[in-house]
Amino acid sequence: MTLMKKPSHPGEVLAELFLEPLDMSAIALAKRLNVPRTRIERLVKGETALSADTAMRLSKFFGNTAEFWLNLQRAWDLALARETVDVSDITPLQAA
């Protein structure tokens, strides 16, 4: 079995790859995105998930895609589910 590295939370990616190099605070970004400061602060702290609305705003501001941001969230969610969801009692469907 191959051990996979747990993906980064989208807020961590936002902070480390986008905000820090620009020397921009979460509050400053929130103002530029026209969202409550707590939305970006909580995202950066990993306390909340990234919404489609926020993904669209980030993609417009940073010039990338909403899919980039949502894929980060999807990878994070799936990694958490793999750690917490027990599917051991489910028998796979057998083809006839």
Side-chain angles (χ1 to χ4, degrees):
M1 181 171 132
T2 303
L3 292 178
M4 294 180 4
K5 180 180 175 277
K6 187 172 181 178
S8 298
H9 187 276
E12 181 182 1
V13 173
L14 175 61
E16 292 182 8
L17 299 184
F18 293 88
L19 296 180
E20 288 174 15
L22 294 171
D23 197 28
M24 180 182 283
S25 70
I27 294 171
L29 177 61
K31 286 179 184 176
R32 299 287 299 269
L33 300 182
N34 298 316
V35 298
R37 68 171 175 77
T38 53
R39 182 189 301 193
I40 303 302
E41 289 172 334
R42 292 180 67 219
L43 179 62
V44 167
K45 291 178 184 175
E47 296 174 353
T48 189
L50 179 98
S51 67
D53 177 277
T54 302
M56 290 176 56
R57 293 169 187 272
L58 290 171
S59 70
K60 176 72 173 184
F61 184 74
F62 290 114
N64 50 27
T65 65
E67 289 81 3
F68 168 80
W69 295 104
L70 290 174
N71 282 336
L72 292 173
Q73 186 63 55
R74 179 207 48 81
W76 175 260
D77 291 343
L78 193 52
L80 284 182
R82 284 188 173 118
E83 292 176 359
T84 60
V85 177
D86 180 9
V87 295
S88 62
D89 63 338
I90 298 174
T91 304
L93 176 67
Q94 300 295 318

